[in-house]
Each structure stands twice: as C-alpha cells, then as structure tokens.
Amino acid sequence: MLKAFYETLYMVGLSLLAAIIIGIPAGILLFVSDRGLFYENRVLNMVLGVIANIIRSIPFLILLVLLLPFTQAILGTTIGPTAAAVPLSVAAIPFYARLVESSLREVNKGMIEAAVATGAKPWLIIREVLLPEAKSGIISGLTITAISLLGFSAMAGTVGGGGIGDLAIRFGYYRYDNKVLFTTVILLVVLVQIIQFLGDWAARKVDKR
C-alpha cells in the first residue's frame, strides 16, 4: 500500500510539473494571441486551441493506449509510474492551459489597456499585470488539475502504470479482496480532500480581492 501511495504521488507530481512548465506558457499564449489583445495572432491562437481541444476531447483511457508507442519510443518501456506519467502529462498540459487562459480572462481589461498605453513590453505586462492578478485562479486551476490527475492515475494502473489504481484493480478487484478495494478508495478520497484544502487555502492567501 505504501509503495502504491508513493507511486501515485510520483506520477501525479511529474505530470503536475509538466503542466506548470508547459501549461502556463501555453495558457498565456492562448490568451494574449486572441483577438483584441496586445499579441494578437489568429493563426497561433487557432492552432493552439485546436490542439488543446483535440487532446481534451479524447477519454484518458483511450489516450493512454494511443500514446503507448510514443511512451515506448522515449522511455523504452510502457510499464511503471514513469511511463504512466507520459500520458498523464499529455492530458494535463492542455487541460491546465485552458484553466490558465480562463483565469487570465477574468483580469480587468482596463488594467491591461492601461499597461499597453504606457508602452509596457508584452513580457512586462504578463509578468507584472496578468500573472499577479490571475494568481488565485491559476492556483485553483492547478488544484482542479491535480485532482483530475489523481483520478487519471488510477486508470493508468489498468495498463501496468502502478500506483493506487493498480493496487485496487490487481489485489482488490481481481482477487475479490474488498478490504484492499475499500482501503484504496478511502485513501483516494482523503488525498482529494487534502489537495482541495491546500489549494483553496493557497488561492485565498494570494487573492487580492
């Protein structure tokens, strides 16, 4: 149980890191390249939007299977928590990017226009206006992403990804051990509650309103 717990944290942690590193810049690009913004680029916006929507429209279990050859190519294996982190990351990045974009849309347009009027560079507007004002929403989006990834990681166990989901399927369901099955369910519920509590607390701490 302890090993499965650590494997789940490892998978979710790697995927969240990928979502932060790639998803935040992608979400910013989706926002600033939209019509009427200071970095308007309809082609870039459309391409990013289509890619994000395509990946998000594929159920995770199917995405997991579709990415098996890709995972095999870059890692040399499709088994284990590291291999499972690949499709988890692919699912997390566009999901979180859209949440980041949504948070940025809540920023007062007047603040952006004022920054543009003063001649501020795009990167300065992003760093000093957009990100600080949207920080609470970005953290809330990360909380939602983490909880979604926790559920996805349980599915990854069905193809040898390890973690709590793998434990529940192999030792709980297949061996008719209800004790293991219910214990894993309770553990997942507790993890979700902890993640939600920490995420809400962090979002409130940085909220300027």
Side-chain angles (χ1 to χ4, degrees):
M1 182 68 73
L2 193 60
K3 181 186 176 185
F5 176 73
Y6 285 136
E7 286 177 344
T8 295
L9 290 184
Y10 175 74
M11 285 188 286
V12 173
L14 275 183
S15 308
L16 270 183
L17 185 61
I20 292 169
I21 293 172
I22 304 175
I24 290 179
I28 292 171
L29 273 177
L30 278 166
F31 175 71
V32 301
S33 62
D34 202 1
R35 180 185 298 174
L37 272 297
F38 55 83
Y39 193 60
E40 182 177 342
N41 188 321
R42 300 301 302 280
V43 174
L44 176 63
N45 186 269
M46 185 181 70
V47 170
L48 286 175
V50 168
I51 292 172
N53 291 339
I54 288 174
I55 296 174
R56 290 170 63 225
S57 67
I58 303 173
F60 179 71
L61 199 55
I62 296 174
L63 183 66
L64 187 65
V65 175
L66 287 175
L67 290 175
L68 286 177
F70 176 69
T71 305
Q72 177 71 39
I74 62 173
L75 296 178
T77 181
T78 58
I79 305 298
T82 303
V86 174
L88 282 171
S89 299
V90 172
I93 290 167
F95 182 79
Y96 187 45
R98 283 298 193 186
L99 291 176
V100 170
E101 180 194 13
S102 178
S103 298
L104 294 172
R105 290 191 184 282
E106 294 178 6
V107 176
N108 190 325
K109 286 292 196 302
M111 298 181 67
I112 301 173
E113 291 169 358
V116 172
T118 61
K121 299 291 184 182
W123 65 268
L124 191 62
I125 298 173
I126 292 169
R127 191 185 71 184
E128 300 295 336
V129 178
L130 290 177
L131 290 179
E133 291 297 320
K135 196 181 294 181
S136 178
I138 289 172
I139 291 174
S140 295
L142 190 63
T143 304
I144 295 169
T145 305
I147 291 172
S148 298
L149 284 174
L150 196 60
F152 290 161
S153 72
M155 294 185 213
T158 61
V159 292
I164 296 173
D166 183 45
L167 185 72
I169 295 295
R170 287 198 295 129
F171 294 95
Y173 179 71
Y174 289 149
R175 298 187 183 183
Y176 303 100
D177 190 337
N178 288 333
K179 183 180 178 181
V180 172
L181 191 59
F182 290 136
T183 301
T184 55
V185 169
I186 292 169
L187 185 56
L188 286 170
V189 170
V190 170
L191 276 174
V192 167
Q193 295 302 317
I194 292 172
I195 293 170
Q196 189 67 60
F197 172 79
L198 292 175
D200 290 345
W201 174 82
R204 285 195 300 269
K205 290 288 285 184
V206 302
D207 194 353
K208 293 184 177 183
R209 290 171 293 181

